[in-house]
Amino acid sequence: MHEIGIVRSMCRTVKDYAAENNVDKISEIVLDNGELSLVVSKYVEDLFPAVADGDPLFKDTKLIFNVIPGLAECDDCDEIFNVIENEGYCPNCGSFSKRVLSGKDFNIREIHVPK
């Protein structure tokens, strides 16, 4: 389960942001999770409380996930399609040859602080 390292890294990044901006509380962390990233949102959500355990910065912090579609462009006919929905094959010509355009990343999109 590689998500533990991802959650630790995410918490470090948010803590660095908080320290640089004199923030003592984070209300929400908005995450972009690509369909092709191999990061399981449920695992991140389940691991977050254990990694953030006892840190007042993360008390009651909510994680919000945006799913980024895994889009690709067919190398043979230039069709843009969803890789997951089409099981990797171009729906236009049936080719498996493609260039992935989006959906491989896991990123922090936003960090929200209480008003």
Side-chain angles (χ1 to χ4, degrees), residues 42-85:
K42 177 71 172 134
Y43 293 168
V44 171
E45 192 170 41
D46 289 348
L47 289 165
F48 178 69
V51 172
D53 185 40
D55 190 329
L57 179 68
F58 296 116
K59 185 175 178 353
D60 300 323
T61 299
K62 292 181 178 67
L63 300 181
I64 299 170
F65 294 89
N66 292 321
V67 177
I68 306 302
L71 299 179
E73 181 177 17
C74 177
D75 289 339
D76 296 329
C77 74
D78 298 327
E79 178 81 9
I80 295 176
F81 63 96
N82 184 293
V83 176
I84 301 293
E85 289 175 7

Side-chain angles (χ1 to χ4, degrees), residues 24-38:
D24 61 359
K25 178 77 178 105
I26 303 295
S27 58
E28 296 173 334
I29 302 170
V30 181
L31 304 163
D32 286 345
N33 190 7
E35 285 182 324
L36 307 175
S37 73
L38 303 178

